[in-house]
Amino acid sequence: QVQLVESGGGLVQAGGSLRLSCAASGRTFSTYAIGWFRQAPGKEREFVAAVNWSGGRTYYADSVKGRFAISRDNDKSTVYLQMNDLKPDDTAVYYCAADLGRRDLLALGPANYDYWGQGTQVTVSS
């Protein structure tokens, strides 16, 4: 069992930055990968970024590559998503999710993730 709580969302102007946090509890944090997803109104949930158990392997959606950075602090059981140069198209509810089946490999599909947080709203104004 894993509990995930996101924080750090808010309203920001285009070109601005936000850092999202995902605090985990339950199962030992360093035994699973974490992914960030987002869902805009009327759209399907889409993959944003993922990080393996150690933080040494990451993967990004093309739409955020070069602007977003995912990292983790296993001592704090927390994953971060640093979002820079935000665009109005980045507006969405952002979710973190735990993939207990993979420690090192990174999955892109939401169905591969076992536990989800409640989400945090990110709104980027033009």
Side-chain angles (χ1 to χ4, degrees):
Q1 189 93 5
V2 172
Q3 294 79 42
L4 302 170
V5 179
E6 302 95 335
S7 61
L11 174 63
V12 64
Q13 288 188 330
S17 298
L18 284 173
R19 189 177 80 156
L20 305 184
S21 298
C22 171
S25 61
R27 178 168 162 171
T28 303
F29 187 63
S30 61
T31 61
Y32 53 87
I34 291 281
W36 281 100
F37 292 79
R38 65 187 182 186
Q39 188 166 18
K43 294 188 176 181
E44 293 187 352
R45 192 166 296 190
E46 65 172 357
F47 171 81
V48 175
V51 61
N52 75 332
W53 69 276
S54 68
R57 180 177 297 184
T58 59
Y59 192 79
Y60 298 92
D62 287 343
S63 59
V64 306
K65 202 172 294 182
R67 300 188 298 122
F68 290 12
I70 188 171
S71 61
R72 68 189 292 159
D73 184 337
N74 285 348
D75 290 336
K76 295 182 178 179
S77 297
T78 301
V79 170
Y80 304 98
L81 185 68
Q82 178 66 44
M83 305 186 296
N84 299 325
D85 189 23
L86 283 160
K87 307 177 186 300
D89 283 350
D90 295 319
T91 296
V93 178
Y94 283 70
Y95 300 89
C96 63
D99 181 357
L100 271 57
R102 295 167 182 79
R103 191 171 184 235
D104 210 29
L105 297 178
L106 303 177
L108 278 62
N112 292 291
Y113 289 78
D114 305 287
Y115 293 94
W116 293 80
Q118 82 290 348
T120 186
Q121 176 71 47
V122 172
T123 302
V124 185
S125 63
S126 56

